[in-house]
Amino acid sequence: MTAALILVVYALAVALLAPPLLARHWPSDRVPRLTVTLLQVLTCSFLVATVAAGLALAFTLVEGLSELSPALDSCADQLPVTDHGSVGTVLGHLGWISAALLSARLLYCLATTFGTARHRRRAHSRVLRMLATRDDELDVLVLDHPAPACYCLPGDVVITTGALERLSAQQLEAVLLHERAHLSGRHHLIIALATAIRRTIPPIRLLAYAERETRRLVELIADDAAVAETSAPTVAAALAVIGTAHTPSLITI
């Protein structure tokens, strides 16, 4: 019971306190990579703590499970509600049922999120094979479209003829560096994980905050990679030409 209480307190503290504390006091824009990692740790630990709390209740309060270990059985006998009472039994069963349901929900969200994203990317790739042409010099797929846009799919960067016409050589380099930073950082997987976790328990503010910040921060990471090889004014000018179309929408959910 003590372990379950500690886990519940931790899960509640992270869920309620982490978003406002990070938003007000954490320099996320200065350390985007570290922040993305921190958000992954917080959200995953929240889910693990929630599932573990349910299992701790089950192993302590469900008759038969607590008897698997002398230590668990001793703990159960000292609690105000025990595995021999109706209240303790109900709490124990609620614990393992909630742990099982949350685990199943998480696995379902992971499978559907990654599966849907993979299906969409494959469908889009099939369309690109028919409509786009490869530029071997730039190592990109060129789509004949007047709107300036650039995005990436795992393994490929796609750019429109409109973007090639409007971007200078330096700006084009910055845009391509931005998109290739997404590919090298496997940002589509990071975003998919954050999305799947958010879908597991949508009302939890921490999970929604983590997904939103992850999407924003991977853009900063890609911008930083482009700035490191070119310059901040060049990247800013390139993004002004591309506008919001530079966002790698095809690798997100």
Side-chain angles (χ1 to χ4, degrees), residues 119-247:
H119 174 74
R120 289 176 178 173
R121 288 195 297 267
R122 285 185 171 181
H124 192 79
S125 294
R126 287 194 295 269
V127 174
L128 287 175
R129 282 197 293 269
M130 294 184 290
L131 300 179
T133 57
R134 178 165 292 281
D135 186 316
D136 293 326
E137 183 179 353
L138 295 175
D139 191 23
V140 298
L141 291 176
V142 179
L143 191 61
D144 187 11
H145 196 282
C150 187
Y151 60 89
C152 59
L153 295 166
D156 275 312
V157 174
V158 183
I159 191 167
T160 63
T161 52
L164 292 175
E165 292 168 358
R166 300 187 193 187
L167 293 169
S168 68
Q170 293 80 12
Q171 292 169 350
L172 176 60
E173 180 187 10
V175 169
L176 296 182
L177 284 168
H178 176 102
E179 298 304 332
R180 285 171 181 147
H182 283 307
L183 294 176
S184 62
R186 297 184 181 274
H187 292 166
H188 62 292
L189 298 179
I190 295 173
I191 291 173
L193 176 61
T195 302
I197 290 176
R198 189 265 301 167
R199 289 175 176 171
T200 303
I201 318 177
I204 300 298
R205 182 186 175 190
L206 168 67
L207 307 186
Y209 173 82
E211 183 199 16
R212 183 174 64 252
E213 281 295 283
T214 297
R215 290 181 182 274
R216 184 180 70 86
L217 291 171
V218 296
E219 292 300 323
L220 288 182
I221 293 170
D223 286 344
D224 289 344
V227 168
E229 297 293 330
T230 56
S231 66
T234 299
V235 173
L239 297 184
V241 172
I242 295 293
T244 58
H246 84 282
T247 303

Side-chain angles (χ1 to χ4, degrees), residues 1-16 42-60 72 95 98-99 102 206:
M1 181 69 81
T2 302
L5 182 59
I6 292 173
L7 291 166
V8 169
V9 170
Y10 170 80
L12 288 174
V14 169
L16 297 175
L42 289 174
T43 53
C44 290
S45 66
F46 165 79
L47 292 177
V48 169
T50 305
V51 170
L55 292 177
L57 277 176
F59 277 98
T60 305
L72 286 175
S98 63
L102 181 56
L206 168 67

Side-chain angles (χ1 to χ4, degrees), residues 8-91:
V8 169
V9 170
Y10 170 80
L12 288 174
V14 169
L16 297 175
L17 300 179
L21 289 177
L22 290 174
R24 295 174 188 172
H25 305 294
W26 183 260
S28 57
D29 289 3
R30 293 201 295 271
V31 285
R33 293 179 186 274
L34 178 60
T35 305
V36 169
T37 301
L38 177 61
L39 291 171
Q40 290 177 320
V41 170
L42 289 174
T43 53
C44 290
S45 66
F46 165 79
L47 292 177
V48 169
T50 305
V51 170
L55 292 177
L57 277 176
F59 277 98
T60 305
L61 295 176
V62 175
E63 188 174 4
L65 290 179
S66 63
E67 295 173 0
L68 293 175
S69 167
L72 286 175
D73 195 38
S74 175
C75 290
D77 291 338
Q78 296 175 26
L79 294 173
V81 289
T82 71
D83 55 336
H84 301 296
S86 59
V87 175
T89 300
V90 169
L91 288 176

